[in-house]
Amino acid sequence: MGEPSTQAVRRIQRATIAGVALLALIAAVVSFRHMHELCLRHGEDRLAAVLTPLAVDGLIVVASMSILLANRSGSRGGLLAWSLLVVGSLASLGANVAVAEPSLIGRIIAAWPSLALIGSYELLMSQIRRSAGGRTEAQELPVISPDPPADAEADPVELQEDQKETVSAELTGNGRLLQREAWRWAQQNRQADGDLPSGVAIARAFARSPRWGRLVKASGTAGELS
């Protein structure tokens, strides 16, 4: 099977995000009620009973957004963000279980919204990581750029960098002999003002690429083709 198209991936991600948002709303409402009740049971006043669930849910939201942002760039999100998300989720899950009916079924029912949210959120993160990884691979593919215009000369700094990477491969064996011949030709065909021909002109005389001609000129000027 072929890879899904970008448009299809975006539709899947939007549907997943909508599902996670719905589960987050359900889990927030259920957890708020349970945590509010738990705080009142343990002697907190009504204001603290309202603010404590908001603090827990707020921690989960902030950690989730931090992980989401990191995943969009292809990374996992860091230890701190994941630690805070786990702590907040466990606090919410523990409050749900603590106020549930003291039976297995009752505790499963109370814990289910938080468990569903945690699982669906990780599925969303894995989708985003795969999508970001695909974009990174596409960006890392080499870009083939056209040859520069006939009268263009490369920047000296750029020539030096090009030489470091390619001159050792091109200036060996028959390649070196041809480069020397081209350098002699360049010296014998100076312009009226005494300047050497351009790298493009050297390349054209030997039916090679403009970059090859620029390397010949730079190497010869540096005394490497004497």
Side-chain angles (χ1 to χ4, degrees):
M1 292 182 62
E3 291 294 327
S5 66
T6 303
Q7 195 172 23
V9 170
R10 288 177 179 173
R11 284 199 295 266
I12 293 171
Q13 284 188 355
R14 290 193 190 103
T16 306
I17 290 171
V20 171
L22 178 61
L23 288 173
L25 179 61
I26 294 172
V29 172
V30 173
S31 296
F32 181 88
R33 293 179 59 190
H34 289 167
M35 200 170 300
H36 181 268
E37 181 180 347
L38 186 65
C39 289
L40 293 177
R41 284 186 185 179
H42 288 79
E44 297 293 335
D45 59 27
R46 293 190 176 276
L47 179 60
V50 170
L51 295 180
T52 300
L54 295 178
V56 174
D57 291 339
L59 177 64
I60 295 174
V61 169
V62 171
S64 300
M65 292 302 101
S66 177
I67 295 171
L68 177 60
L69 182 61
N71 275 262
R72 290 184 68 86
S73 62
S75 64
R76 292 284 300 181
L79 178 61
L80 177 60
W82 277 104
S83 298
L84 293 177
L85 178 61
V86 170
V87 169
S89 300
L90 289 177
S92 176
L93 185 63
N96 292 338
V97 173
V99 299
E101 179 184 344
S103 66
L104 178 61
I105 295 178
R107 287 168 179 164
I108 291 175
I109 292 173
W112 186 257
S114 293
L115 289 174
L117 175 60
I118 294 170
S120 62
Y121 185 80
E122 176 54 27
L123 289 176
L124 175 60
M125 294 300 99
S126 64
Q127 287 184 15
I128 294 174
R129 280 194 295 272
R130 284 195 296 270
S131 177
R135 288 196 300 271
T136 301
E137 290 177 2
Q139 291 171 357
E140 290 175 351
L141 290 176
V143 178
I144 301 176
S145 55
D147 289 337
D151 58 347
E153 286 291 317
D155 183 80
V157 176
E158 180 184 349
L159 280 174
Q160 292 174 5
E161 293 300 322
D162 287 343
Q163 279 184 282
K164 292 177 182 177
E165 296 177 0
T166 62
V167 76
S168 60
E170 294 197 13
L171 296 183
T172 57
N174 293 333
R176 178 179 288 276
L177 294 175
L178 184 60
Q179 295 257 345
R180 285 175 175 168
E181 183 181 348
W183 175 239
R184 285 194 296 270
W185 178 91
Q187 290 177 309
Q188 295 168 2
N189 291 272
R190 290 180 180 271
Q191 301 176 11
D193 58 1
D195 289 342
L196 290 167
S198 68
V200 176
I202 297 172
R204 188 181 297 119
F206 288 82
R208 301 299 294 268
S209 69
R211 183 181 182 184
W212 184 88
R214 291 196 295 270
L215 286 172
V216 169
K217 184 175 180 180
S219 300
T221 303
E224 297 176 4
L225 298 176
S226 302

